[in-house]
Amino acid sequence: MPSRSPMTYQDHLSDADALMLTLEQDPTLRSTIVSTWLLDRAPDLARFEHKLERALEIIPRLRQRIVRDALGIATPKWERDPDFDLRFHLRRTHLGGDGTLRDLLDHAEPIAMQAFDMSRPLWELHLIDGLEGGRCAALMKLHHAISDGVGLVKMTECLIEKGPDDEELPPLRKTDADFAPPSAWERLGDALEHRISSALENLESAGSAAANEAFDAVRNPVARFRELRDTASSIARVLAPASEPMSPVMRDRSTRVRFDYLSVPLEELKRAGKTQGASVNDAFVAAVAGGLARYHEEQGSPVDCLRMLMPVNVRSGERASEVGNQFSPARFEVPVGISDPAKRIRAIRAASREQRDEPALPLIGPISAALGRLPESAVVALFGAMQRTTDFTTSNVPGPRRPTWMSGARVEAVLPFGPLAGAALNVTVFSYDGAMHVGINADPAAVDDPELLFECLQKSFDEVLTIVA
């Protein structure tokens, strides 16, 4: 169970988040996250609604919408929605069909495909009953601009309980009913203040860095020259254009999604990675890579490498408690055609570590800021093309290690579905209560046989789990 540590927020979108929002002018690049808690029974509704009201007090982001200043001086700002209505965000539905897991996934897909109303806070919470065995599901849909997966776990802590018994609920505080949105002039003043303060911070940082660089250059000019050269080369690699996907079969893109889910034992996957001197994430990515290689072979188009995007968590220091996006996207070619799963894990480990050490990754913010000065149409054309050449995305989100409850209902599984954002496939894993819960989000335009893909991924995970030292 995560500790309920304090949460902090930034008032303005980061340059990277603002860039993400700009890219959504192309609907195939939307960044919608869907996380579904599978519950053993329906939660106590009165208690659930009370806890959600408490969450609105604790997490101000849930009441905030994104507002731009008229002149575009600063990045958009998170601002309280004066017309916030919880009834719009909390929705109750009954699952049709036989109430199977497949019925639930089919029900979740159109929810994920619907665009957000940008005039409101960018989240929805769906309580879905009618699952077989009297089970229920709580589906959270939110925009990636609110947070990454790690931040989402932190935000939802206030809805999660350590046991099935009721906890004492503190009384709700009275909200400010007299809140009024700022005027256009106030927004303009805030934008100017933010831009100036950001510029001063960057100048101070640059001045300090320049002094250090000058000292290093005098002390060791050859090493400093090599460092600058390596950084420039790293930026070129990170921003390297690609004209098409590497996959010969997963090439088309659409605004549709197809969800699938599987679960694997966490300790066994850890052990498989450890036998090869690798992490559980290396074993996870190797299983996905092997499944994709098998899928391409079954399609009659074998491949040796595919292009993967993997978010690298950069939470550290004073910003570790912030809720929001704190990752750098690493986009690189990974070997998928290695038939031996142990060798594939080692190859994935080497490729991933090389990417994590890229000097350009910590510079994603400044790079995004520079790109944000370009015309939006140019940004969408440039980065949209890059995003759509990503064959697949993988993401690993750590969750609670022990069982948890939600308003009296036991959480049996957490089904994570990351955004496609131009990729053909997103495979996200969420560790919870001894299992790795694997959410598979595929673009049907790219993956024309999702049942075959699921079978190939399942076989590849089974294969990786059998590795012994």
Side-chain angles (χ1 to χ4, degrees):
M1 179 73 184
S3 62
R4 297 179 182 176
S5 51
M7 292 173 279
T8 57
Y9 303 85
Q10 295 292 322
D11 290 335
H12 284 262
L13 269 70
S14 69
D15 290 299
D17 289 348
L19 183 63
M20 182 194 306
L21 212 61
T22 298
L23 290 176
E24 292 202 353
Q25 293 181 24
D26 180 341
T28 66
L29 304 180
R30 288 175 184 155
S31 296
T32 302
I33 297 173
V34 172
S35 181
T36 303
W37 295 273
L38 193 60
L39 311 176
D40 70 343
R41 68 192 69 187
D44 182 296
L45 288 179
R47 180 174 180 78
F48 183 84
E49 290 178 3
H50 188 105
K51 291 182 76 70
L52 185 54
E53 290 279 4
R54 286 287 297 167
L56 294 174
E57 296 176 357
I58 298 169
I59 310 169
R61 188 67 85 235
L62 296 179
R63 286 183 175 270
Q64 293 175 331
R65 59 181 181 172
I66 293 176
V67 178
R68 301 174 184 267
D69 68 273
L71 299 180
I73 295 172
T75 56
K77 185 180 181 182
W78 292 103
E79 187 178 287
R80 181 172 167 181
D81 179 7
D83 298 317
F84 180 82
D85 189 336
L86 182 56
R87 294 175 301 172
F88 177 83
H89 299 274
L90 177 60
R91 307 177 187 187
R92 295 182 59 192
T93 55
H94 183 82
L95 187 65
D98 297 325
T100 64
L101 178 60
R102 183 67 258 167
D103 290 327
L104 175 62
L105 297 175
D106 290 343
H107 181 85
E109 289 165 359
I111 294 175
M113 288 186 279
Q114 294 167 1
F116 282 101
D117 180 349
M118 299 303 291
S119 69
R120 298 177 182 270
L122 305 180
W123 65 275
E124 299 168 9
L125 183 54
H126 298 251
L127 281 180
I128 307 167
D129 60 22
L131 276 73
E132 57 186 358
R135 294 185 298 170
C136 181
L139 183 153
M140 170 69 85
K141 169 187 172 182
L142 80 162
H143 196 287
H144 210 322
I146 293 179
S147 185
D148 54 22
V150 176
L152 174 60
V153 171
K154 191 173 183 63
M155 289 172 64
T156 54
E157 287 176 6
C158 51
L159 295 176
I160 298 300
E161 301 161 349
K162 296 180 181 179
D165 298 329
D166 287 351
E167 297 177 348
E168 183 180 351
L169 292 173
L172 296 171
R173 293 192 298 265
K174 207 169 186 181
T175 57
D176 182 9
D178 297 327
F179 169 79
S183 67
W185 285 108
E186 289 172 326
R187 288 194 179 116
L188 178 59
D190 176 82
L192 287 169
E193 181 181 353
H194 177 72
R195 176 57 67 192
I196 293 171
S197 63
S198 297
L200 290 175
E201 288 177 7
N202 292 337
L203 184 62
E204 181 181 357
S205 176
S208 176
N212 291 333
E213 289 171 5
F215 178 76
D216 291 342
V218 171
R219 185 178 59 180
N220 195 336
V222 175
R224 183 56 191 156
F225 172 78
R226 288 174 179 169
E227 183 181 342
L228 291 173
R229 181 195 60 192
D230 292 344
T231 300
S233 298
S234 177
I235 292 174
R237 287 193 295 271
V238 168
L239 298 179
S243 59
E244 58 184 13
M246 297 184 70
S247 168
V249 296
M250 303 190 308
R251 302 182 70 83
D252 294 335
R253 300 293 186 265
S254 72
T255 58
R256 296 175 290 149
V257 301
R258 157 76 183 212
F259 288 164
D260 281 292
Y261 162 80
L262 60 89
S263 176
V264 297
L266 173 59
E267 288 305 318
E268 291 184 28
L269 195 62
K270 278 185 179 179
R271 188 160 53 248
K274 190 174 182 179
T275 62
Q276 305 305 312
S279 68
V280 65
N281 189 68
D282 295 326
F284 156 61
V285 175
V288 175
L292 285 170
R294 191 185 298 265
Y295 176 76
H296 281 77
E297 290 172 4
E298 293 288 340
Q299 294 273 27
S301 300
V303 291
D304 292 324
C305 292
L306 291 173
R307 187 176 294 111
M308 180 181 78
L309 187 146
M310 180 177 68
V312 177
N313 186 5
V314 295
R315 280 178 168 77
S316 63
E318 296 179 355
R319 297 195 61 191
S321 64
E322 284 186 13
V323 171
N325 289 302
Q326 294 193 53
F327 70 92
S328 291
R331 186 176 62 102
F332 57 105
E333 296 179 13
V334 294
V336 301
I338 302 173
S339 58
D340 184 326
K343 291 181 179 178
R344 193 187 321 128
I345 289 177
R346 294 197 296 270
I348 294 291
R349 172 183 176 272
S352 298
R353 289 200 173 185
E354 182 179 349
Q355 289 301 310
R356 291 176 185 275
D357 293 336
E358 280 281 12
L361 283 186
L363 303 176
I364 292 299
I367 292 172
S368 299
L371 293 171
R373 305 294 183 270
L374 298 174
E376 290 189 351
S377 58
V379 172
V380 174
L382 173 65
F383 270 82
M386 289 178 59
Q387 294 284 88
R388 283 188 292 273
T389 62
T390 299
D391 295 302
F392 70 108
T393 297
T394 60
S395 184
N396 185 347
V397 182
R401 298 180 180 180
R402 297 179 179 84
T404 59
W405 282 256
M406 183 176 287
S407 297
R410 188 182 188 277
V411 179
E412 295 183 334
V414 180
L415 286 55
F417 299 104
L420 290 173
L425 176 72
N426 182 307
V427 184
T428 296
V429 66
F430 186 93
S431 57
Y432 166 67
D433 190 24
M436 297 287 272
H437 300 274
V438 185
I440 305 163
N441 181 6
D443 184 340
V447 180
D448 59 6
D449 194 341
E451 290 85 4
L452 174 62
L453 174 64
F454 178 83
E455 178 183 334
C456 290
L457 288 170
Q458 180 72 75
K459 288 180 178 178
S460 185
F461 271 99
D462 290 343
E463 183 182 57
V464 167
L465 292 174
T466 61
I467 294 176
V468 293

